[in-house]
Amino acid sequence: MADRRPEKSCEQACESLRRQEYEAVVKHCTEALFSLSHCPPSPSAVSQQGSDFVRNRVLLYRIAALLQLKNYDQADEDCKHVLAVELARGEGLFPAVLRCMLMEGSLQVVSRILSRSLLGEPLNGMVTKDLTRLRMLLSEIETATSTMGSGYVEDNEEDVQEGWQFRPPPRGVTSSEEYTICKRYLEQGICRYGAQCTSAHSQEELMEWQKRYASRLISLKQQQESAQSAGSYMEALIEKWMNSLSPEKVLSEYLEGVSVEHSPDLLVTVTTKKSSQSWTFSLFCKPARMLYRMALLYDAHRPHFSIGAVSAGDGANQIVQEVPDNCQEWVGGSIAQNGLDHCVYEVVVRFSTEIFGTFRQTIVFDFGFEPVLMQRVMVDAASIEDLEHLMQARQQLLITAKRWDSSCKTIVEFEPNETSDLERSLLSRYQIPLSADQLFTQSVLDKSLTKENYQARLHDLLYIEEIAQYKEVSKFNIKVNLQLVASFMLTGVSGGAKYAQNGQLFGRFKLTETLSEDTLAGRLVMTKVNSVLLLPLTKEKSAQAPGTKEKVYEAAIEDKTKDFIFLRVCKDCCEELKLRPDRELQWDEQLDPRLNAKQKEAILAITTPLNFQLPPVLIIGPYGTGKTFALAQAVKHILKQQDSKVLICTHSNSAADLYIKDYLHPHVEAGNPHARPLRVYFRNRWVKTVHPIVQQYCLISSTQYAFQMPQKEDILKHRVVVVTLSTSQYLCQLDLEPGIFTHILLDEAAQAMECETIMPFALASNSTRIVLAGDHMQVSKMNP
């Protein structure tokens, strides 16, 4: 019989949590709680404490598992139970539970899951007060335990520690749950890797490794809490920047009221292994403000960089601050402001190396408020031979036009902005380098991939791809007249009438190159580009005040055709530039110029995408008003839509043949084989009485004397089928599925209605567009 003791289920839940088997965690925890609820009350206070001890542990395990499974309501309920017990009992049982879990390494798992959940998604709007309080209790226990110390201390460099019974654990793990037991040793009693095996050779050894890991965590926390720890400020700033949905509000390269000058350039290239470099940053602050702190953020290349000197003021009034050797963080506050309404700071950052490579560093200047000002520097140390290869690669990615961004332009964003907070956060955090010089560096030539350089290498590769795409897209940068309209109409897949609202306008411009997905640039513009930046040009360019930037306006791309792009111009742009529409309605240039306005409206309705539910389209007009001409033009546009299939049904053979001779046959001959129609004729009609052109599109017997009845395969093979009302009965006998035709056009529909024999599949599907054309309608006789 299986062991149903709550202690056993608690152990199984702990193991499942380490293996990230969260559904199993919930199962084992629920079993433990069920067993505890059915245990008779113990008269012994010690036994009762033991039960409470297990209950608290399994509730914490289940809270972590439920959060991972996104069952937030149940997690909140468990959290309330945990806190209720903690508040009701003042004898310190709950902290004892947490300390025990900390020593065995399971508390960190729960704490990490709680932190990630509270910092991540909004938990479906659930109030997180209880979960936040629980997370704070866990943090307090971790901090208190690290302050008090423990029976365990951190292993020294030789991993020798009095009291440890087993070999030292493998390094490089990020949590104690990554330690595993060697299955080979357990099954065979021997492991060929011996002492070098990275898995434990017994349960006791595994538990000791987990305790050692907890010991190292305690020691690390003590170091972090030390006032002398130089990394605390930098780590806190980086963590806040990484977790913020608006990272530009935490760190920024531009700070209002502070202008930065630097010498030399922030990107430096050297051709010798052993080299040194220094940068001087001059910060002019108006109004005057105190520089409280400076730090170097980037850990990977920290040994090569240091803060060399800090001074305030200029000329004879300059005050120099002492800076220790290899300074990574400078704390100010003692330098007085050196001007009535302004102040000047001068900072020297030094670099040295004895190896080739690409070295990056970020310097932050903290004036006591956010965003914190940052400046990025980079040194590319490469041999002369490598540098020649890099220069060739850089030349291939020279940008054809300077990118417009906040450093050189004032950008008025399009509102409403559909960019999500996450997208804004990522765009701000990972800004594309402004030049290829920052991309093709010595690090690109390094063929070895290590855990230290793989992240930077992958970022560089993505940046190179993006800047290459930008080069292709920039081919479409043009100076052009923008035609402004209040509305326009397009046929095709994205067709329909669009009207500007809320003070906006549409702008149309012609491309210098035809857009095609067959080209790289065309494919990028058609699929990836969602907006453009507009810089208005006037005949007399107004003089700008020194230090001001040109204003450009973001416009959303509304529609794209092969030759034109339609923009939606924002309200601010229209108001500031006093823009007015040139005309109220703009028609699709692809429509036949012989069509009048009403015919264009009819084609627009017929070709509107099928996902827009429309009632049957009625086209009513006397003989000779161009109904057939409009329907034939509509068919040409329908066939541009993917997976479209058209049935044309007329009352007479002459009307059906007219579609073939005058419209579809010339269209096929013009290089559109997909428009080849199937003309279905009465089987007993003498073939020679039919026009020779029409015969090309009919099914004729081998004797060439009679027409054949179409089979289902014949209908499926053609995208256009032309029938009369009488021959449409052949189709009804083929067991065609409802909705097989995306569009059904009934010409001379008035006569068709009088017969009251419309095809049963004509109105059988909501996904079919029905068009009725005639000189008058008797719609009441339709029998859907």
Side-chain angles (χ1 to χ4, degrees):
M1 183 175 178
D3 190 351
R4 304 291 292 180
R5 292 182 298 113
E7 293 83 358
K8 181 64 176 178
S9 297
C10 181
E11 292 173 5
Q12 292 174 331
C14 185
E15 290 300 319
S16 297
L17 188 62
R18 290 195 178 102
R19 294 193 298 267
Q20 301 182 8
E21 298 171 354
Y22 301 116
E23 291 182 350
V25 174
V26 175
K27 174 178 175 291
H28 293 312
C29 289
T30 304
E31 289 175 352
L33 293 171
F34 180 81
S35 299
L36 288 170
S37 65
H38 286 76
C39 288
S42 174
S44 168
V46 175
S47 299
Q48 185 59 42
Q49 279 194 347
S51 298
D52 292 340
F53 192 90
V54 174
R55 180 179 288 104
N56 283 330
R57 286 171 65 98
V58 297
L59 281 173
L60 287 170
Y61 293 151
R62 193 164 75 170
I63 288 170
L66 290 170
L67 287 173
Q68 290 294 88
L69 296 172
K70 301 188 183 303
N71 189 343
Y72 303 127
D73 292 336
Q74 184 60 51
D76 191 35
E77 284 298 315
D78 284 355
C79 185
K80 286 183 172 65
H81 287 301
V82 169
L83 293 176
V85 171
E86 191 273 330
L87 291 172
R89 299 178 179 272
E91 64 270 19
L93 175 64
F94 189 65
V97 173
L98 298 183
R99 279 195 291 271
C100 180
M101 292 175 65
L102 178 64
M103 289 299 100
E104 71 179 16
S106 60
L107 182 67
Q108 293 87 340
V109 181
V110 177
S111 180
R112 187 169 63 251
I113 291 173
L114 263 171
S115 299
R116 188 164 57 239
S117 298
L118 292 173
L119 288 172
E121 54 189 283
L123 307 187
N124 293 347
M126 187 188 72
V127 178
T128 59
K129 180 179 65 176
D130 293 328
L131 287 171
T132 303
R133 181 174 180 184
L134 179 60
R135 174 68 186 93
M136 291 175 63
L137 284 171
L138 268 57
S139 299
E140 289 171 4
I141 289 295
E142 291 175 318
T143 303
T145 306
S146 64
T147 303
M148 293 167 52
S150 151
Y152 308 109
V153 295
E154 184 182 13
D155 298 345
N156 61 22
E157 292 181 358
E158 292 78 22
D159 285 306
V160 177
Q161 169 65 43
E162 185 177 356
W164 296 132
Q165 299 179 3
F166 299 96
R167 59 198 172 99
R171 295 286 187 166
V173 299
T174 58
S175 69
S176 61
E177 60 193 79
E178 292 184 23
Y179 295 130
T180 58
I181 295 181
C182 178
K183 293 183 178 179
R184 187 184 298 105
Y185 190 88
L186 293 181
E187 294 172 357
Q188 303 176 8
I190 190 172
C191 174
R192 61 179 177 177
Y193 298 113
Q196 302 301 317
C197 182
T198 58
S199 296
H201 286 168
S202 67
Q203 184 67 36
E204 292 76 14
E205 186 174 52
L206 177 65
M207 292 179 66
E208 182 177 290
W209 284 5
Q210 292 169 346
K211 290 178 181 179
R212 287 192 179 198
Y213 182 83
S215 173
R216 286 197 293 272
L217 283 182
I218 292 171
S219 178
L220 178 62
K221 280 187 173 292
Q222 289 174 335
Q223 295 176 14
Q224 290 176 341
E225 291 169 0
S226 171
Q228 303 301 321
S229 175
S232 58
Y233 168 78
M234 294 176 272
E235 290 170 3
L237 185 61
I238 291 174
E239 183 177 359
K240 187 172 185 180
W241 179 70
M242 292 298 295
N243 291 328
S244 174
L245 290 177
S246 302
E248 72 281 358
K249 296 180 180 179
V250 180
L251 284 173
S252 175
E253 293 180 338
Y254 309 98
L255 191 60
E256 187 175 355
V258 179
S259 60
V260 183
E261 294 181 357
H262 54 80
S263 178
D265 289 340
L266 300 181
L267 170 61
V268 176
T269 302
V270 295
T271 57
T272 57
K273 272 189 178 180
K274 187 174 182 179
S275 59
S276 59
Q277 178 66 44
S278 65
W279 293 268
T280 300
F281 294 90
S282 297
L283 288 73
F284 182 84
C285 308
K286 186 176 182 180
R289 58 191 66 187
M290 182 70 70
L291 179 60
Y292 288 97
R293 191 188 297 261
M294 281 188 306
L296 306 181
L297 288 189
Y298 198 42
D299 273 336
H301 304 140
R302 186 178 298 282
H304 299 276
F305 294 87
S306 64
I307 300 172
V310 181
S311 62
D314 48 8
N317 298 323
Q318 192 174 56
I319 303 173
V320 180
Q321 174 83 21
E322 259 188 57
V323 175
D325 293 339
N326 195 32
C327 178
Q328 299 293 300
E329 181 180 358
W330 174 86
V331 180
S334 60
I335 296 183
Q337 297 181 2
N338 45 73
L340 294 176
D341 63 343
H342 71 279
C343 56
V344 179
Y345 298 96
E346 194 170 275
V347 178
V348 177
V349 176
R350 296 195 174 101
F351 164 83
S352 63
T353 183
E354 294 185 358
I355 59 174
F356 284 135
T358 302
F359 308 91
R360 296 180 172 90
Q361 190 53 265
T362 299
I363 309 105
V364 295
F365 305 91
D366 193 337
F367 289 93
F369 59 88
E370 293 181 351
V372 177
L373 178 65
M374 70 174 176
Q375 295 288 294
R376 294 186 174 100
V377 296
M378 186 177 78
V379 177
D380 197 23
S383 65
I384 296 177
E385 294 79 11
D386 287 347
L387 195 58
E388 290 178 356
H389 293 300
L390 293 173
M391 292 302 293
Q392 292 176 1
R394 290 172 184 173
Q395 289 299 321
Q396 295 176 359
L397 271 187
L398 287 178
I399 300 180
T400 58
K402 178 175 173 56
R403 185 187 295 271
W404 289 352
D405 58 20
S406 56
S407 65
C408 60
K409 305 290 183 186
T410 298
I411 299 177
V412 178
E413 293 187 349
F414 182 86
E415 295 292 344
N417 196 311
E418 296 182 357
T419 306
S420 67
D421 290 339
L422 177 60
E423 290 172 332
R424 284 178 173 273
S425 171
L426 293 174
L427 288 171
S428 175
R429 189 172 290 124
Y430 302 109
Q431 295 180 357
I432 300 174
L434 298 178
S435 70
D437 294 348
Q438 299 179 33
L439 293 173
F440 289 98
T441 59
Q442 170 66 24
S443 63
V444 177
L445 299 177
D446 186 5
K447 296 182 180 179
S448 61
L449 197 63
T450 67
K451 64 181 181 180
E452 286 79 20
N453 70 7
Y454 83 95
Q455 186 180 36
R457 287 282 300 280
L458 289 177
H459 275 292
D460 285 344
L461 291 174
L462 289 173
Y463 285 146
I464 289 171
E465 181 182 359
E466 289 187 357
I467 207 168
Q469 290 181 347
Y470 177 76
K471 179 183 176 183
E472 291 296 323
V473 172
S474 65
K475 292 178 180 178
F476 290 91
N477 292 348
I478 56 175
K479 184 187 295 185
V480 68
N481 290 324
L482 198 63
Q483 185 180 22
L484 299 172
V485 294
S487 58
F488 69 92
M489 291 188 176
L490 287 180
T491 58
V493 176
S494 61
K498 298 193 176 180
Y499 299 89
Q501 297 178 351
N502 302 323
Q504 300 174 352
L505 286 175
F506 294 116
R508 187 193 77 159
F509 65 91
K510 187 174 179 62
L511 294 168
T512 54
E513 293 185 27
T514 299
L515 273 183
S516 170
E517 292 197 12
D518 295 332
T519 65
L520 175 59
R523 186 161 57 253
L524 286 170
V525 173
M526 295 288 279
T527 60
K528 301 295 184 183
V529 180
N530 300 315
S531 64
V532 300
L533 294 178
L534 303 175
L535 173 63
L537 298 178
T538 57
K539 294 181 180 179
E540 296 180 0
K541 195 170 183 180
S542 58
Q544 289 186 317
T548 60
K549 304 170 187 175
E550 284 185 309
K551 184 179 287 189
V552 297
Y553 300 87
E554 183 184 25
I557 293 182
E558 188 73 19
D559 265 305
K560 305 165 190 172
T561 67
K562 289 184 177 180
D563 300 309
F564 292 94
I565 286 184
F566 292 84
L567 306 176
R568 186 183 288 269
V569 184
C570 67
K571 178 182 178 181
D572 290 342
C573 180
C574 295
E575 290 181 350
E576 291 180 19
L577 301 180
K578 297 180 172 57
L579 302 181
R580 296 291 182 270
D582 295 337
R583 61 175 73 171
E584 287 301 314
L585 185 65
Q586 189 174 75
W587 294 102
D588 190 345
E589 296 289 334
Q590 300 180 40
L591 292 175
D592 194 302
R594 294 173 292 175
L595 292 165
N596 61 36
K598 287 297 182 182
Q599 290 172 320
K600 290 177 180 178
E601 285 189 48
I603 293 175
L604 177 68
I606 296 170
T607 58
T608 298
L610 296 175
N611 57 329
F612 292 95
Q613 295 292 329
L614 292 180
V617 179
L618 305 181
I619 302 177
I620 304 174
Y623 176 80
T625 52
K627 298 185 296 297
T628 299
F629 177 64
L631 292 179
Q633 297 299 321
V635 171
K636 295 180 182 179
H637 287 281
I638 291 170
L639 294 177
K640 294 178 182 178
Q641 300 178 7
Q642 192 174 8
D643 300 326
S644 59
K645 195 176 186 72
V646 185
L647 174 66
I648 301 175
C649 182
T650 68
H651 182 65
S652 63
N653 281 315
S654 59
D657 291 346
L658 187 65
Y659 278 98
I660 302 291
K661 293 185 297 180
D662 291 2
Y663 304 112
L664 293 174
H665 174 69
H667 192 52
V668 173
E669 293 291 306
N672 298 285
H674 64 279
R676 182 176 183 84
L678 172 64
R679 173 71 168 95
V680 180
Y681 246 105
F682 178 53
R683 69 178 70 188
N684 294 326
R685 174 76 177 259
W686 189 22
V687 173
K688 290 192 175 182
T689 62
V690 176
H691 196 283
I693 291 179
V694 179
Q695 290 183 32
Q696 300 177 36
Y697 302 98
C698 298
L699 298 174
I700 303 176
S701 65
S702 57
T703 61
Q704 297 295 311
Y705 288 110
F707 292 102
Q708 288 183 327
M709 181 178 176
Q711 301 300 313
K712 186 175 183 178
E713 293 74 20
D714 298 317
I715 303 300
L716 296 176
K717 194 163 54 176
H718 291 80
R719 294 185 60 190
V720 183
V721 178
V722 183
V723 297
T724 61
L725 190 64
S726 59
T727 57
S728 67
Q729 298 176 15
Y730 296 156
L731 306 187
C732 299
Q733 302 170 20
L734 297 181
D735 192 27
L736 297 174
E737 296 82 2
I740 186 174
F741 294 104
T742 60
H743 296 75
I744 298 179
L745 312 183
L746 299 174
D747 203 353
E748 301 176 357
Q751 290 89 332
M753 297 307 158
E754 290 171 2
C755 296
E756 298 183 355
T757 56
I758 192 167
M759 300 79 67
F761 53 85
L763 296 176
S765 173
N766 289 331
S767 62
T768 300
R769 178 83 68 235
I770 307 296
V771 183
L772 310 170
D775 55 357
H776 65 282
M777 295 290 169
Q778 297 178 0
V779 182
S780 60
K781 289 189 176 182
M782 289 181 60
N783 182 16

